[in-house]
Amino acid sequence: MRVIIEASPESVARRAAGIVADLVRRKPRCVLGLATGSTPQRTYAELIRLHRDEALDFSQVVTFNLDEYVGLGPDDPHSYRHFMRQHLFDHVNIPPGNTHVPNGLADNVDLACEQYEREIHEAGGIDLQLLGIGTDGHIAFNEPGSSLGSRTRLKTLAPETIRDNAAQFGHADRVPRLAVTVGVGTILESRRCLLLALGAAKAQAIRQTVEGPVTAQVTASALQLHRDVTILLDEAAAGQLERRAYYHEVESSQHLLETRRGPASGGVRR
Ligand code: PGA
């Protein structure tokens, strides 16, 4: 895992958007895995700026979002499809047909989940998966106890998640109890993962993810099993990491690592 600690949420967003933009420029037909929530909002704003000011071209990009609330349609202002339109899709030149978000209104959810997995596969798999993290250590809506091999499926939200998302709905009672989410196994098949975390509320989950054991109780810890993960944090989210000094040291010696790595490394970080 490569752990990058930035001074502020703004520099996290610039760095994250830079990683996405590099891929889009290098591989215009890339497949992005996208996340919702407060964490990636600034990153999306920066991608919109890059599209506007630097002609970053999304015309061939394909996207798959991680999750959606069950019972909310695409026009519901609380749905993740709506979030994505508002914060990214409506402001860049991505064809709407290239964007995928799990269907929260499917009659047969199991069938819709299988179809979603098939669509990811047929698109060639996820090149870069953007992730946030819950205070309970979840990635997507893979709540504590989720199988580390799980695939796209129906999931019951954990009490921490309902509490954390209550403000967006006005009250915890209005937060849907169920969601459709890609699985931990689905995420681990992405070619590269980029997890973002901001603020002290995420510090404990980040410590468990980076420095704790791999456990289904903290599903983000499964990323330790992936060979190309970047964990991008602000200082507050990095606040409980014991090996912070080492992560800073690794970053400041990146230029040395690059000169030693050679062209055959294929860009894989860890
Ligand atoms: P947040 O949510 O970005 O709104 O903190 C992250 C998550 O639950 O994955």
Side-chain angles (χ1 to χ4, degrees):
M1 286 180 158
R2 179 170 174 184
V3 179
I4 303 176
I5 304 167
E6 290 281 345
S8 68
E10 289 74 23
S11 46
V12 167
R14 275 195 299 275
R15 187 98 181 227
I19 292 170
V20 175
D22 277 352
L23 173 64
V24 171
R25 289 195 187 101
R26 216 166 10 90
K27 186 177 178 185
R29 226 175 251 279
C30 65
V31 181
L32 299 178
L34 298 179
T36 49
S38 57
T39 309
Q41 283 186 28
R42 283 191 188 87
T43 300
Y44 293 148
E46 176 63 9
L47 286 172
I48 293 167
R49 191 196 67 73
L50 290 171
H51 169 66
R52 200 186 50 221
D53 298 347
E54 297 180 22
L56 185 64
D57 179 16
F58 288 84
S59 63
Q60 297 179 70
V61 171
V62 173
T63 66
F64 287 90
N65 265 79
L66 290 168
D67 41 23
E68 180 60 281
Y69 291 113
V70 167
L72 303 192
D75 294 325
D76 188 301
H78 294 114
S79 74
Y80 284 158
R81 164 62 80 178
H82 187 272
F83 174 101
M84 289 309 301
R85 283 209 312 262
Q86 187 183 4
H87 292 282
L88 184 66
F89 297 157
D90 286 356
H91 310 283
V92 296
N93 64 333
I94 188 162
N98 285 14
T99 68
H100 304 80
V101 180
N103 180 1
L105 295 179
D107 287 333
N108 186 332
V109 177
D110 290 349
L111 219 58
C113 290
E114 278 173 34
Q115 169 79 8
Y116 201 68
E117 290 274 341
R118 209 163 30 245
E119 283 172 355
I120 293 174
H121 182 73
E122 283 166 4
I126 307 279
D127 290 304
L128 175 63
Q129 177 64 63
L130 210 60
L131 297 162
I133 185 169
T135 56
D136 63 0
H138 70 208
I139 41 175
F141 275 136
N142 293 290
E143 301 291 25
S146 293
S147 160
L148 300 187
S150 51
R151 314 300 308 190
T152 305
R153 70 212 184 289
L154 206 52
K155 196 71 200 168
T156 306
L157 301 191
E160 296 91 330
T161 303
I162 291 171
R163 181 200 62 207
D164 292 346
N165 293 359
Q168 293 142 37
F169 287 84
H171 195 280
D173 288 348
R174 297 199 199 110
V175 181
R177 267 32 188 179
L178 297 178
V180 177
T181 180
V182 301
V184 180
T186 320
I187 291 168
L188 290 179
E189 280 175 9
S190 312
R191 290 186 188 89
R192 183 177 180 189
C193 294
L194 174 60
L195 184 143
L196 312 180
L198 304 172
K202 302 293 173 68
Q204 186 186 0
I206 286 298
R207 181 173 53 76
Q208 292 172 322
T209 296
V210 176
E211 296 177 342
V214 174
T215 168
Q217 293 304 315
V218 179
T219 54
S221 69
L223 294 172
Q224 293 178 27
L225 300 169
H226 193 285
R227 62 197 289 267
D228 195 358
V229 175
T230 302
I231 309 273
L232 187 44
L233 310 169
D234 66 0
E235 288 283 356
Q240 292 187 28
L241 290 173
E242 281 179 21
R243 298 177 70 84
R244 262 164 89 179
Y246 174 66
Y247 308 135
H248 278 301
E249 169 79 22
V250 172
E251 283 317 297
S252 56
S253 52
Q254 274 305 310
H255 59 288
L256 287 177
L257 294 174
E258 292 303 331
T259 54
R260 294 278 165 180
R261 205 170 257 143
S265 69
V268 172
R269 301 298 191 281
R270 307 263 135 255

